């Protein structure tokens, strides 16, 4: 046993404790150091990770594309003396100082049909600097652009959203000494762009050549003032700034305070001249805006503030308008009951209001009851972009076809009416009557004048332009009921005397007139439905005995020796399921041809409940035609025009030796009709006497789908499928 009290043992024990304490301390220190090192390493890793994330975030944000609110500015000018062109150059220099791409474009060299819709998604701002002649006409360089824009704004195929997304500004050049025409072109371009859905970024500018009346002392000073505002507005657009809100204290764009700037003026610059009913973000185009406000400088909206002393004048005007309206209603009632005005004379069919409405739609009105209009297919073929389905089916040269009518009145109010029933209606002729010689002469002159406007237009083929100046075909299918015109036979005779073929369309409500009709190149009857109920629903005829008149018209057609056609317009969910009934009607009229076409949607209208849902797809039309042909054994499908959503069913007598002869020998027809006239009507002829062979590309099943390979198919961008046709 160890003696623990021994000094030696005590010494070793003490040393042992000292050694163990030292070892424990070293171990404890090592553990602490390990923990500290680990914490430092974690801290460093966290620090590095944070710096890395920050660096990566910064790098990512630098790589992100900065949102672009304005990609560039396009400056269009229409100039005659060079003033507008000079202003365009000055404005371009100012825009360039903002580091924005800028292009200067002469409207004479610009094709809106091809390129204007591209501005919807381009994020460009389009500026129009346009001059007005003292008589209100545009300069020669801007004439085509204005014509196209005017027609597009009133054409249902374009619609109110066609240019939605496009941004524009307008500066007009004019002379206020001619007050009624002052800056008319600029005002019109502003109006038409807005009607197509484009968005104006600032108030229209007006330069005045009359230094006495000029707002800033000269037209140059007027432009500089407007240019300054435009550059200011452009800077704001580039930053993505939108106009300031009125805080909910405004009604439809009528600011209660001048503290808030509109999108189209500088902040604080709201003046009676600048404030416009559509210069507000709250108001959508057309929501509370009339077209008349564009041409009336002193126009006041219904929400305008009126001084008490002016209230009496306003009430007097309201009473006067009410009295005039009552007088007009009395005259209308008198005319409807007697067909004559208060003086006992027959009244003109075209009233001032009707003239204004139809003129806006592009009609050239003739006399008191006729009109002519340039078909879109005429324009298309002038530019080598293909003709209408009548070119495919019958060989018509669309660029030489005149679309007209000697009677704007109609006995139906069809749901698919192209003009939303702006034309008059009636069951008999009760108006003044113009002579057929006058109608034809003015129709041809107006048609030629409209063709002349295409001279120099981009894409127009010189050869076809020259050919288009000579009318070769006449489509009496514009609007209304041409067979109502009492002198229709004389009118047709004049056409044939001028070597013009005749294509007449009637709505099958005038059987006696069909029987009395002299030979025409091709006679159409609209067969819009096959049952009494569906015909009443679709055509909405005025005659009470409309169904019997309809059947009698088809029987009258069967007695004709020249070419006859049923025109079937398919309205989905309304008349596409009446196959057996259609087959019975075919046996009643025994037509040479049956055109089956999908209905054309004419836009929203209080006059019609038709929607895009009623428009059948081309495949649906093909299926309908196939099923119909199975029920009429004497007929086959012969031709197709996919672009118009239309097919042609032809009687088998036009299939000679296994080949279709649906086209027309127009020269031979003119010879035959001349022999008929010379013989006093005794020498008759039939449809087979003036046939021509149908080309392969026009046949049903061909790869071309009815498009003439001589032309180039053009697809309009950002547009719904266009299935319309004349």
């Amino acid at each position: 046993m160890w003696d623990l009290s021994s000094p030696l043992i005590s010494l070793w024990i003490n040393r042992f404790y000292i050694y163990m304490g030292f070892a424990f301390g070293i171990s404890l220190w090592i553990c602490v150091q390990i923990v500290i090192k680990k914490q430092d390493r974690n801290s460093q890793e966290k620090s590095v990770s944070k710096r890395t994330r920050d660096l990566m975030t910064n790098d990512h944000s630098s790589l992100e594309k900065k949102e672009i609110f304005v990609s560039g500015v396009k400056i269009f000018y229409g100039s005659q003396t060079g003033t507008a062109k000079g202003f365009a150059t000055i404005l371009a220099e100012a825009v360039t100082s903002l580091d924005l791409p800028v292009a200067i474009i002469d409207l004479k060299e610009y094709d809106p049909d091809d390129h204007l819709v591209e501005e919807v998604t381009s994020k460009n701002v389009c500026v129009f600097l346009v001059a007005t002649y003292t008589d209100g006409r545009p300069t020669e360089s801007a004439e085509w652009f204005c014509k196209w824009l005017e027609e597009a704004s009133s054409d249902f195929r374009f619609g109110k959203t066609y240019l939605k997304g496009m941004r524009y500004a307008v500066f007009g050049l004019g002379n206020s000494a001619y007050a009624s025409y002052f800056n008319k072109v600029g005002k019109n371009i502003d109006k038409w762009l807005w009607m197509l859905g484009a968005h104006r970024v600032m108030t229209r500018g007006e330069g005045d050549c009359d230094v006495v009346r000029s707002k800033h002392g000269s037209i140059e000073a007027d432009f500089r003032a407007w240019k300054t505002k435009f550059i200011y507005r452009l800077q704001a657009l580039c930053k993505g700034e939108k106009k300031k809100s009125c805080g909910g204290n405004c009604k439809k764009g009528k600011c209660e305070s001048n503290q808030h700037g509109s999108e189209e003026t500088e902040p604080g610059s709201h003046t009676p001249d600048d404030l416009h009913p559509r210069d507000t973000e709250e108001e959508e185009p057309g929501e509370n805006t009339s077209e008349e406000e564009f041409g009336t400088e002193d126009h006041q909206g219904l929400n305008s503030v009126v001084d008490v002393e002016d209230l009496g004048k306003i009430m007097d005007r309201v009473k006067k308008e009410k009295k005039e309206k009552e007088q007009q209603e009395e005259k209308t009632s008198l005319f409807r009951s007697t067909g004559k005005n208060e003086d006992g004379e027959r009244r003109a069919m075209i009233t001032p209001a009707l003239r204004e409405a139809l003129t806006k739609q592009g009609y050239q009105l003739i006399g008191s009851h006729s009109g002519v209009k340039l078909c879109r297919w005429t324009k298309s073929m002038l530019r080598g972009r293909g003709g209408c389905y009548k070119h495919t089916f019958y060989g018509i040269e669309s660029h030489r076809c005149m679309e007209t009518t000697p009677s704007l009145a109609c006995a139906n109010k069809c749901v698919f009416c192209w003009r939303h029933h702006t034309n008059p209606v009636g069951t008999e002729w009760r108006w003044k009557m113009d002579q057929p010689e006058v109608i034809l002469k003015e129709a041809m002159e107006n048609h030629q004048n409209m063709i002349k406007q295409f001279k120099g237009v981009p894409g127009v083929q010189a050869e076809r332009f020259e050919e288009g100046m000579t009318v070769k075909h006449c489509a009496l299918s514009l609007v209304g009921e041409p067979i109502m015109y009492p002198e229709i036979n004389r009118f047709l005779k004049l056409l044939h005397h001028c070597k013009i073929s005749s294509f007449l369309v009637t709505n099958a409500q005038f059987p006696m007139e069909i029987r009395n009709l002299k030979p025409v190149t091709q006679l159409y009857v609209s067969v819009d439905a096959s049952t009494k109920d569906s015909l009443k629903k679709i055509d909405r005829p005025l005659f009470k005995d409309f169904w019997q008149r309809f059947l009698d018209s088809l029987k009258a057609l069967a007695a004709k020796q020249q070419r006859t056609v049923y025109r079937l317009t398919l309205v989905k969910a309304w008349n596409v399921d009446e196959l057996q009934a259609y087959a019975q009607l075919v046996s009643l009229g025994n037509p040479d041809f049956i055109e089956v076409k999908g209905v054309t949607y004419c836009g929203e209208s209080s006059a019609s409940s038709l929607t895009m849902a009623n428009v059948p797809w081309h495949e649906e039309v093909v299926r309908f035609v196939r099923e119909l042909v199975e029920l009429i054994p004497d007929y086959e499908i012969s031709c197709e025009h996919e672009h118009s959503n239309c097919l042609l069913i032809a009687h088998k007598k036009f299939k000679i030796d296994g080949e279709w002869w649906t086209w027309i020998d127009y020269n031979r027809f003119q010879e035959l009709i001349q022999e008929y006239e010379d013989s006093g009507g005794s020498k008759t002829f039939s449809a087979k006497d003036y046939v021509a062979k149908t080309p392969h590309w026009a046949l049903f099943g061909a790869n071309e789908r009815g498009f003439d390979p001589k032309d180039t198919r053009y697809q309009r961008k950002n547009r719904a499928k266009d299935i319309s046709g004349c």
Side-chain angles (χ1 to χ4, degrees):
M1 295 293 294
W2 294 90
D3 186 1
L4 298 178
S5 62
S6 170
L8 183 60
I9 294 300
S10 298
L11 177 62
W12 279 106
I13 290 173
N14 289 336
R15 287 182 175 179
F16 175 78
Y17 283 127
I18 292 172
Y19 174 78
M20 291 300 295
F22 178 78
F24 177 78
I26 291 295
S27 300
L28 182 62
W29 180 83
I30 290 173
C31 290
V32 170
Q33 289 298 316
I34 290 173
V35 171
I36 292 174
K37 291 284 186 181
K38 188 174 183 179
Q39 288 177 344
D40 289 343
R41 187 165 59 251
N42 289 341
S43 177
Q44 288 176 358
E45 288 176 356
K46 288 181 179 179
S47 178
V48 171
S49 178
K50 184 176 183 302
R51 287 198 304 270
T52 303
R53 285 198 304 270
D54 290 344
L55 183 60
M56 291 176 66
T57 302
N58 291 335
D59 288 344
H60 179 69
S61 62
S62 64
L63 292 174
E64 280 185 345
K65 287 186 177 180
K66 184 179 180 181
E67 186 174 358
I68 298 174
F69 297 100
V70 178
S71 60
V73 177
K74 289 186 177 180
I75 305 172
F76 301 86
Y77 70 88
S79 184
Q80 191 68 25
T81 62
T83 305
K85 183 178 181 180
F87 287 170
T89 303
I90 295 171
L91 184 61
E93 292 176 356
V95 172
T96 304
S97 66
L98 301 180
D99 293 329
L100 281 174
V102 61
I104 301 176
I105 302 170
D106 187 347
L107 285 173
K108 187 176 183 179
E109 301 172 355
Y110 183 74
D111 189 346
D113 200 26
D114 287 349
H115 302 298
L116 193 59
V117 73
E118 296 173 1
E119 305 305 331
V120 170
T121 56
S122 67
K123 292 189 177 181
N124 287 325
V125 175
C126 299
V127 182
F128 296 90
L129 308 177
V130 287
T132 303
Y133 278 128
T134 54
D135 60 356
R137 292 184 297 111
T139 60
E140 184 179 346
S141 60
E143 186 175 8
W144 162 244
F145 179 81
C146 292
K147 181 69 175 177
W148 184 91
L149 208 59
E150 180 182 15
E151 291 188 355
S153 66
S154 60
D155 193 326
F156 66 85
R157 289 182 294 264
F158 288 85
K160 297 178 181 179
T161 60
Y162 179 69
L163 295 180
K164 187 174 183 180
M166 174 184 171
R167 295 175 293 179
Y168 74 96
V170 178
F171 181 84
L173 296 80
N175 192 328
S176 61
Y178 303 89
S180 57
Y181 300 116
F182 179 54
N183 275 321
K184 183 178 179 180
V185 175
K187 294 173 184 176
N188 282 339
I189 288 179
D190 187 12
K191 175 180 71 173
W192 295 328
L193 286 171
W194 170 75
M195 290 173 68
L196 289 168
H199 182 70
R200 188 179 62 177
V201 299
M202 65 174 291
T203 306
R204 182 183 66 248
E206 295 190 338
D208 195 346
C209 293
D210 191 327
V211 294
V212 176
R213 293 183 174 89
S214 172
K215 186 175 181 180
H216 300 90
S218 68
I219 191 170
E220 291 78 12
D222 292 337
F223 174 72
R224 284 196 298 270
W226 181 85
K227 182 195 71 172
T228 301
K229 291 183 179 181
F230 175 76
I231 295 300
Y232 180 93
R233 180 72 190 119
L234 191 60
Q235 288 175 319
L237 289 172
C238 290
K239 298 175 183 177
E241 295 180 9
K242 296 184 179 294
K243 63 184 174 187
K244 298 178 181 179
S245 171
C246 295
N249 297 323
C250 296
K251 289 181 66 178
K252 293 291 182 184
K254 302 297 185 292
C255 288
E256 294 183 354
S257 170
N258 283 347
Q259 295 177 355
H260 305 292
S262 83
E263 184 172 346
E264 302 181 359
T265 56
E266 294 181 30
S269 65
H270 270 193
T271 65
D273 291 333
D274 288 340
L275 187 60
H276 203 282
R278 58 193 172 92
D279 289 354
T280 59
E281 195 168 38
E282 294 87 347
E283 182 179 339
E284 293 296 327
E287 182 179 353
N288 192 31
T289 309
S290 66
E291 291 182 9
E292 288 75 15
E293 51 112 350
F294 287 95
T296 307
E297 296 302 324
D298 59 349
H299 176 82
Q300 285 186 320
L302 295 176
N303 295 325
S304 300
V305 178
V306 180
D307 292 333
V308 175
E309 56 266 27
D310 293 331
L311 192 58
K313 297 179 182 179
I314 294 175
M315 293 306 298
D316 289 340
R317 188 179 68 210
V318 171
K319 291 178 181 178
K320 182 180 178 181
E321 291 175 353
K322 183 179 180 182
K323 185 177 180 180
E324 290 175 350
K325 184 178 180 180
E326 290 174 350
Q327 291 175 346
Q328 183 61 39
E329 288 176 351
E330 290 177 2
K331 292 179 181 178
T332 303
S333 177
L334 176 66
F335 174 72
R336 285 175 178 170
S337 60
T338 65
K340 299 178 181 179
N341 58 24
E342 63 270 23
D343 297 326
E345 297 178 353
R346 287 189 178 273
R347 196 177 64 170
M349 181 188 295
I350 304 176
T351 63
L354 178 60
R355 182 175 296 277
E356 181 181 0
L358 292 176
T359 301
K360 284 183 178 179
Q361 296 173 20
Y363 284 84
Q364 298 292 321
L365 300 179
I366 303 165
S368 62
H369 55 74
S370 308
V372 64
K373 193 175 188 291
L374 205 63
C375 175
R376 79 180 185 91
W377 291 109
T378 301
K379 306 173 191 176
S380 176
M381 203 160 188
L382 281 171
R383 306 168 81 180
R385 294 180 175 179
C388 75
Y389 70 88
K390 288 196 286 291
H391 171 64
T392 299
F393 296 170
Y394 317 119
I396 271 187
E397 297 173 278
S398 300
H399 63 297
R400 303 184 69 180
C401 182
M402 176 177 69
E403 193 172 20
T404 186
T405 181
S407 171
L408 292 163
C410 188
N412 285 354
K413 300 168 70 176
C414 303
V415 295
F416 47 77
C417 177
W418 280 41
R419 298 304 164 194
H420 298 310
H421 317 122
T422 49
N423 57 306
V425 292
T427 57
E428 61 180 343
W429 191 270
R430 308 175 70 179
W431 299 274
K432 287 181 181 179
M433 189 181 70
D434 302 325
Q435 294 303 307
E437 292 83 1
V438 175
I439 297 173
L440 180 57
K441 180 177 179 293
E442 293 192 20
M444 293 178 67
E445 289 177 354
N446 282 310
H447 178 80
Q448 289 169 345
N449 288 334
M450 288 186 286
I451 294 290
K452 286 178 182 177
Q453 295 175 2
F454 280 80
K455 188 174 184 179
V457 170
V460 171
Q461 299 179 4
E463 181 181 357
R464 289 190 178 178
F465 175 80
E466 293 299 326
E467 292 175 344
M469 294 300 294
T470 303
V471 178
K472 187 176 180 180
H473 315 284
C474 180
L476 295 165
S477 61
L478 179 60
V479 73
E481 174 57 82
I483 209 170
M484 279 183 71
Y485 177 49
E487 294 291 346
I488 185 62
N489 279 323
R490 278 179 60 200
F491 186 80
L492 291 169
K493 186 176 180 179
L494 289 170
L495 282 175
H496 300 152
H497 180 73
C498 296
K499 306 301 180 185
I500 300 173
S501 64
S502 52
F503 290 75
L504 188 147
V505 182
T506 175
N507 60 19
Q509 289 297 295
F510 296 91
M512 184 61 69
E513 284 74 6
I514 293 176
R515 291 191 186 95
N516 295 334
L517 194 69
K518 295 294 179 67
V520 296
T521 310
Q522 191 154 283
L523 177 60
Y524 289 79
V525 168
S526 294
V527 182
D528 301 326
S530 60
T531 67
K532 184 177 181 179
D533 290 340
S534 58
L535 186 68
K536 184 178 182 179
K537 182 171 62 173
I538 294 174
D539 278 5
R540 299 189 293 188
L542 271 63
F543 284 108
K544 292 183 179 179
D545 59 339
F546 67 92
W547 182 244
Q548 189 58 50
R549 284 177 167 271
F550 177 75
L551 297 178
D552 289 345
S553 294
L554 300 186
K555 294 175 184 177
L557 195 75
K560 294 296 177 181
Q561 292 181 287
Q562 290 73 44
R563 295 168 66 107
T564 57
V565 183
Y566 274 13
R567 173 182 278 183
L568 273 64
T569 301
L570 296 187
V571 185
K572 196 173 179 179
W574 285 24
N575 65 356
V576 295
D577 300 321
E578 304 170 356
L579 282 166
Q580 191 62 51
Y582 273 121
Q584 293 174 359
L585 292 181
V586 170
S587 63
L588 192 65
N590 194 30
D592 294 323
F593 304 98
I594 306 169
E595 293 177 1
V596 184
K597 184 180 184 301
V599 68
T600 298
Y601 178 57
C602 304
E604 295 180 1
S605 168
S606 59
S608 172
S609 59
L610 202 70
T611 68
M612 278 300 295
N614 299 117
V615 179
W617 293 98
H618 185 66
E619 292 73 16
E620 293 174 309
V621 176
V622 172
R623 183 169 63 250
F624 175 90
V625 169
R626 289 184 185 275
E627 293 175 357
L628 178 60
V629 166
E630 291 179 1
L631 301 175
I632 46 177
D634 292 333
Y635 295 83
E636 288 183 11
I637 307 173
S638 58
C639 301
E640 175 185 27
H641 192 248
E642 182 193 28
H643 192 43
S644 291
N645 201 16
C646 188
L647 280 87
L648 180 68
I649 301 172
H651 197 283
K652 290 181 180 179
K653 66 182 179 182
F654 293 97
K655 196 170 188 179
I656 304 172
D657 296 330
E659 296 181 316
W660 284 111
W661 289 65
T662 67
W663 275 35
I664 298 172
D665 185 338
Y666 293 100
N667 292 330
R668 180 57 182 156
F669 170 79
Q670 296 299 342
E671 293 174 359
L672 293 169
I673 197 68
Q674 186 63 51
E675 293 174 1
Y676 172 86
E677 294 292 344
D678 292 342
S679 66
S682 61
K683 191 172 184 178
T684 60
F685 58 97
S686 69
K688 291 186 68 176
D689 292 331
Y690 54 103
V691 296
K693 187 177 178 181
T694 311
H696 178 269
W697 58 263
L699 299 177
F700 177 67
N703 293 332
E704 293 84 356
R705 306 298 294 271
F707 189 86
D708 193 337
K710 292 180 182 178
D711 291 334
T712 303
R713 184 75 178 267
Y714 172 73
Q715 298 284 3
R716 188 171 282 123
K717 298 178 181 179
N718 294 348
R719 286 278 303 279
K721 184 179 180 182
D722 192 344
I723 57 172
S724 60
C726 58

